[in-house]
């Protein structure tokens, strides 16, 4: 080469940064320049070979091949290397008493079916029956009426509806409902199970090349949107979180690093009899009672709402 | 939160690194730990919000949607942020006299059709006729017989066959041939044109949010595989490179940072008449003569072959 290699590498990085330095949006510029600098530093530090770079590009293509509506392999990868949780730890500090957010996972759907409060969202899902109830509150303990709860979770096999056979069975164990005037919500579903990370694509290649455990403990996904009728002053922050089943295997080694304080709860085994909503249960079932505590949207410069 | 946020971030990173620290393959372990550390550092430095992380995941999904046989948007992204060239600069230093490698781009196909030496590979491609000839040599100037040259490039519109209508028109301006006993090769095709980066997906979102020029100067892609009949001692390194058209627009501002020393050549305008291979040309045409100089495979610990 005409140039000293180290010199060439620095010249290249400077040229790349220079070309992105005029990005008009200041926040996007900050993110792009920092990400580009770290990726170049990674390359200069680790010196991937051409074959390793090709393998990385093929890895991305393999993640791309399974990404589509209802599944985003890049989210699973971000979860697997703890990046999702690092974003939450860095950007969403919460005051004591608030429900802690955790990752969203690869299987969220924006437009889950609506259900009335108290309905059974299980659909074609099989498993032990579970009654879930609780309240949506703000940090002062006041009820939050009209919040939209979106719920999705695995069945007794540890599969999600989108991994099953949506064409034949439709969506199941997935739905949206609104909190009542007193912030309450309730629904029936089935117990979620622990499950292995999907190993059929890029994530599987990654996990398979390590000695890592690749399971997630049993959990419900809950995403809460604050009601629309708020002023800027009282506006609440949405919350994406899980409720983990106390006693589930893998609680201390979740492959996605998603278990956070306050998110593990009792899914209490109940004998056959009259359920909390009056339903007569011929078989044993479980109940979960859980309150979600939302915080105000953070003001600029304030670490807490 | 129960924990100081900075403490929680450090604990998380340590836990993630710990779980990947037992990756059996030492080189993969090194790469994974370094990449994970840099990505976490990026997050801790830049503090992406949950919405920014969601936008990043949607960006990956948008890249995934157009990735498939004949196109890999992640390669285009790696090119656009100079990462591909940083890999080459870090990992493939070349001695004086060797042909310098450059990026492969998103449109390479592993199984391009075979042609005999001297054939016309243009197929359905339109453009000014171009005759290409030269030799494959080793660094000592000896001919390399039986090397496989894979060639692919854009037409006069700046499009590749895989962006056009492969079902109706088949592949065009794309082919493989072998060097002759004296290392020679020759083929006919059409002139390549400068072209904008494909702006219909994630790369377009990225480039569109900057003020960057998003064109590539006109070039031929050439990838050379060394012949199979070599001993470990004499084994040659494959080469992926371009030949750029001298005088093409954007030579000094290639969006992919791919222009490197020695890769710009004259595509000489010729009057109608007898072409180098005896063909009678009724219209003006162009000729390119270019020798590709391969190096030996690098021995461990040696910067040059």
């Amino acid at each position: 080469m005409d140039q000293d290699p180290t010199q060439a590498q620095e010249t290249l990085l400077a040229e790349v940064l220079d070309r992105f330095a005029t990005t008009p949006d200041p926040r996007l510029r900050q993110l792009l320049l920092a990400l580009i600098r770290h990726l170049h530093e990674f390359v200069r530090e680790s010196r991937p070979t051409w074959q390793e770079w090709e393998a990385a590009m093929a890895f991305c293509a393999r993640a791309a091949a399974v990404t589509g509506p209802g599944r985003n392999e890049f989210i699973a990868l971000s979860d697997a290397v703890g990046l999702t949780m690092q974003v939450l730890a860095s950007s969403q500090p919460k005051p004591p008493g608030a429900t802690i957010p955790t990752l969203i996972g690869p299987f969220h759907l924006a437009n889950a079916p609506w259900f009335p409060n108290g309905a059974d969202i299980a659909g074609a899902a099989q498993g032990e029956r579970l009654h879930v109830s609780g309240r949506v509150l703000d940090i002062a303990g006041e009820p939050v009426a009209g919040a939209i709860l979106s719920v999705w979770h695995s069945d007794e096999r540890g599969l999600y509806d989108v991994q099953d056979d949506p064409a034949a069975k439709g969506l199941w164990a997935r739905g949206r409902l609104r909190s009542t005037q007193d912030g309450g919500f309730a629904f029936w579903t089935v117990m979620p199970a622990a499950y292995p990370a999907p190993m059929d694509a890029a994530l599987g290649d990654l996990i398979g090349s390590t000695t890592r455990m690749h399971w997630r403990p049993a959990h419900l996904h809950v995403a809460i949107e604050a009601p629309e009728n708020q002023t800027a002053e009282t506006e609440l922050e949405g919350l994406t979180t899980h409720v983990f089943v106390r006693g589930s295997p893998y609680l201390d080694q979740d492959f996605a690093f998603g278990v956070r304080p306050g998110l593990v709860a009792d899914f209490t085994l109940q004998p056959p009899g009259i359920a909390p909503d009056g339903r007569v249960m011929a078989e044993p079932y479980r109940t979960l009672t859980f309150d979600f505590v939302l915080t105000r949207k953070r003001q600029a410069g304030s670490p807490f709402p």
Side-chain angles (χ1 to χ4, degrees), chain A:
Chain A
M1 266 197 305
D2 304 25
Q3 253 183 326
D4 168 54
T6 306
Q7 179 62 36
Q9 290 161 29
E10 276 168 21
T11 305
L12 175 62
L13 176 54
E15 190 186 346
V16 173
L17 292 175
D18 194 53
R19 295 235 214 139
F20 282 95
T22 53
T23 300
D25 182 85
R27 175 59 177 161
L28 181 62
R29 179 169 67 236
Q30 178 189 23
L31 289 167
L32 284 175
L33 293 179
L35 182 57
I36 289 169
R37 189 176 285 112
H38 274 291
L39 290 174
H40 278 251
E41 285 302 319
F42 160 68
V43 168
R44 293 178 60 180
E45 208 176 289
S46 307
R47 300 170 68 93
T49 64
W50 182 244
Q51 289 71 25
E52 287 166 346
W53 176 87
E54 286 186 316
M57 294 298 113
F59 178 86
C60 289
R62 191 149 155 68
V66 297
T67 294
R71 180 170 175 186
N72 185 336
E73 188 80 347
F74 297 91
I75 291 180
L77 292 168
S78 172
D79 295 350
V81 299
L83 214 55
T84 316
M85 295 311 298
Q86 190 64 264
V87 169
L88 288 173
S90 298
S91 70
Q92 292 206 358
K94 291 287 183 186
T99 305
I100 303 289
T102 190
L103 53 93
I104 191 166
F107 299 127
H108 178 252
L109 288 179
N111 294 308
W114 284 99
F115 288 91
N117 242 296
D120 189 330
I121 70 164
Q126 299 292 312
E128 198 176 6
R129 308 306 303 178
L130 169 66
H131 186 262
V132 182
S133 61
R135 294 212 295 163
V136 183
L137 304 169
D138 70 16
I139 191 74
E142 295 299 316
V144 178
I148 301 169
L149 289 92
S150 183
V151 178
W152 68 106
H153 64 85
S154 69
D155 67 2
E156 64 183 0
R157 299 168 300 169
L159 289 179
Y160 285 78
D161 51 1
V162 293
Q163 296 176 289
D164 195 15
D165 187 357
K169 297 190 188 176
L171 300 175
W172 46 252
R174 183 186 297 272
R176 284 183 289 178
L177 62 164
R178 270 190 189 274
S179 63
T180 59
Q181 200 59 44
D182 67 347
F185 65 86
F187 59 92
W188 284 94
T189 185
V190 297
M191 278 293 284
Y195 58 85
M199 295 288 281
D200 59 337
L203 178 65
D205 297 344
L206 173 65
I207 297 285
S209 66
T210 71
T211 59
R212 288 191 55 190
M213 196 63 76
H214 62 284
W215 286 70
R216 301 214 65 207
H219 59 275
L220 303 177
H221 290 267
V222 182
I224 301 179
E225 288 172 58
E228 298 91 348
N229 57 349
Q230 298 175 99
T231 64
E233 266 185 8
T234 61
E235 201 178 358
L236 296 168
E237 184 122 82
L239 172 70
T240 299
T241 195
H242 292 8
V243 184
F244 291 94
V245 178
R246 196 184 311 282
S248 170
Y250 312 109
L251 264 180
D252 60 346
Q253 45 194 331
D254 178 11
F255 101 90
F257 308 95
V259 184
R260 299 186 78 186
L263 301 183
V264 182
D266 293 314
F267 289 57
T268 311
L269 185 63
Q270 306 286 358
I274 309 291
D277 66 343
R279 193 161 160 176
V280 179
M281 304 300 291
E283 305 282 335
Y285 64 102
R286 293 191 184 249
T287 53
L288 165 68
T289 307
F290 198 89
D291 293 342
F292 296 94
V293 180
L294 306 185
T295 52
R296 296 253 177 89
K297 279 213 172 161
R298 259 178 303 152
Q299 310 300 311
S302 148
F304 292 142

